[in-house]
Amino acid sequence: MARAAGKSEAVYERLKGDIESLRLRPGAKLSEVQLGEELGASRTPVREAIRRLAGEGLVDFVPGEVARVAAISLGGVRALFEIRMLLEPRAAASVAASGVGEERVLAPFRELLERLEEFEETFRALDATGQARGYRDFYELAEGFDQAVIAACRNPYLARTIRDLRSQTVRLRNVSHSGPRRMLTSLEEHRALLKAITHGDAQAAEAACRHHLTQTLQALIESLTGEGAPTGVEVHVDAAR
């Protein structure tokens, strides 16, 4: 039983990673037979993984029909950020408040702030080619911040809900790459967030998080619909996901 559960989890993590990284692109068919052969698994763990991913909104799955990687839609992007703006500013404020006088809570954020400032100094000194390669390092820092907030949030329901939305956020990040100007602006936004949390300023942390999400949504929509829109990724202009 444990071995079967381990196989199912491994298939799930592999498919999830492939969807987030766009190795499996929006709209791609998910054949249980083909995936089973590629992953060395029977159809049962593949089917279970597809159902879990459907529950997270990464797969469109109807029993008896061919599952597909969920499409990207502007309505879905807006809906995702609507719920993120309800949850994440509150979580940031909560962490800032709970970190007052507790170095254990603040230490990861102090470290992230130092790393962020070191990264910015290096990034500004790079040429365009070097900056393009530096995006992944920044994304790792941004993900580290998000995970630190989830870990420090004392409301387990709030933390779990934010964590469950991460896959959607990571996929959109990989679909839409912003330019160096947005990168530097996002650095400033994360610096403001980190400073607010490390200073124990809940109000400033909440405001900084809301501002960051608003700017990120605007940049995403511009990237998905403008001249530099990603190729090979169909973006639906509708009111639903």
Side-chain angles (χ1 to χ4, degrees), residues 24-212:
L24 285 171
R25 302 182 77 78
K29 294 181 180 180
L30 299 176
S31 165
E32 293 178 6
V33 174
Q34 182 177 346
L35 288 172
E37 291 175 351
E38 292 176 359
L39 301 176
S42 66
R43 294 182 65 176
T44 297
V46 173
R47 187 180 300 114
E48 290 176 355
I50 288 174
R51 286 175 175 167
R52 285 180 65 183
L53 293 166
E56 297 174 16
L58 292 174
V59 169
D60 291 327
F61 174 69
V62 178
E65 298 183 11
V66 176
R68 295 178 181 270
V69 177
I72 302 291
S73 77
L74 294 186
V77 171
R78 292 190 179 99
L80 172 64
F81 274 79
E82 181 179 356
I83 194 66
R84 288 186 68 188
M85 286 180 193
L86 289 173
L87 301 176
E88 294 181 27
R90 181 59 197 145
S94 174
V95 171
S98 65
V100 176
E102 290 198 35
E103 186 58 29
R104 177 185 59 82
V105 174
L106 295 181
F109 297 98
R110 294 192 197 282
E111 180 184 349
L112 280 166
L113 182 56
E114 291 178 4
R115 290 173 57 195
L116 188 75
E117 292 177 338
E118 290 172 359
F119 171 82
E120 181 178 6
E121 183 178 354
T122 301
F123 184 80
R124 287 181 180 276
L126 296 173
D127 59 18
T129 301
Q131 287 185 345
R133 289 197 296 265
Y135 280 39
R136 183 175 298 277
D137 293 334
F138 174 70
Y139 291 154
E140 289 179 359
L141 282 172
E143 183 66 22
F145 170 79
D146 292 331
Q147 294 298 334
V149 170
I150 291 171
C153 182
R154 293 188 174 180
N155 184 324
Y157 298 102
L158 179 57
R160 185 179 303 118
T161 305
I162 293 172
R163 184 179 62 243
D164 290 345
L165 294 173
R166 292 305 304 155
S167 292
Q168 293 285 359
T169 301
V170 171
R171 184 166 76 135
L172 284 175
R173 179 188 295 160
N174 288 323
V175 166
S176 171
H177 291 290
S178 300
R181 180 179 299 177
R182 174 56 194 159
M183 169 75 75
L184 292 171
T185 303
S186 187
L187 279 166
E188 292 294 335
E189 292 162 4
H190 278 85
R191 178 185 289 107
L193 264 165
L194 286 163
K195 285 186 175 180
I197 289 175
T198 55
H199 291 165
D201 191 334
Q203 186 174 358
E206 184 170 357
C209 185
R210 184 169 288 108
H211 174 71
H212 169 63

Side-chain angles (χ1 to χ4, degrees), residues 71-78 172 224 234-241:
I72 302 291
S73 77
L74 294 186
V77 171
R78 292 190 179 99
L172 284 175
L224 290 171
E234 184 179 356
V235 179
H236 298 167
V237 183
D238 56 23
R241 188 184 61 77

